Amino acid sequence: MTQKFQAQIYVTLRPSVLDPAGTAVQSGLAHMGYTNVEQIRIGKYVELSLTAESESAARSQLDTICDQLLANPVIENYRIELQALATV
Amino acid sequence: MTQKFQAQIYVTLRPSVLDPAGTAVQSGLAHMGYTNVEQIRIGKYVELSLTAESESAARSQLDTICDQLLANPVIENYRIELQALATV
């Protein structure tokens, strides 16, 4: 029996890693007059659906996928949210 | 009296817009043997903090920032989450 899951994955730079894109956005906003905005960090947001035997199987597969493809574990963290949809 | 807010912004391609990066990730995963993963869409995830008079003022400013800088309203949707931190 397999289940269908919807997943959201948030990939963010580790706090110790410089974020030039975030700095560029912040300086762009300052030029536009928004000087009250700070600490901008830009990451990736991935939505996907998958089928798996169980929620823990889905989560462990997504962990592997993030480590191997979606995130660079040296400089990035990731967080996975998972919702069970329907039994297939 | 101004308040400090923490915001998360999710920028996603509109459903009718093709996502070549998502398709590339899906074909990469298929090559790695993960054929049970589908409907991959890749977006942006932005974290920032800002000061504003009220939650509604913060939200309306972030709407303007998204429309003008962070998202392309023609092809992208965005969603804003906002948490009040402390009164400054």
Side-chain angles (χ1 to χ4, degrees), chain A residues 4 6 10-12 25 28-29 32-52 61-62 64-65 68-70 79, chain B residues 4 6 10-12 25 28-29 32-52 61-62 64-65 68-70 79:
Chain A
K4 190 154 188 153
Q6 177 73 28
Y10 310 89
V11 180
T12 47
V25 167
L29 287 175
M32 291 160 67
Y34 300 114
T35 49
N36 60 331
V37 182
E38 283 180 326
Q39 293 176 309
I40 305 182
R41 306 281 290 176
I42 297 185
K44 275 178 289 186
Y45 171 61
V46 183
E47 288 179 334
L48 55 83
S49 67
L50 79 165
T51 52
Q61 187 182 355
L62 288 177
T64 314
I65 285 174
Q68 293 186 347
L69 189 74
L70 293 179
R79 182 164 55 85
Chain B
K4 190 155 186 152
Q6 177 74 29
Y10 309 89
V11 180
T12 48
V25 167
L29 288 175
M32 291 160 68
Y34 301 114
T35 51
N36 61 331
V37 182
E38 286 179 324
Q39 294 175 306
I40 305 181
R41 306 282 287 177
I42 297 185
K44 275 178 289 187
Y45 172 60
V46 182
E47 287 179 334
L48 55 84
S49 67
L50 78 165
T51 53
Q61 186 181 359
L62 289 177
T64 313
I65 287 174
Q68 292 185 347
L69 189 75
L70 293 178
R79 183 163 54 85

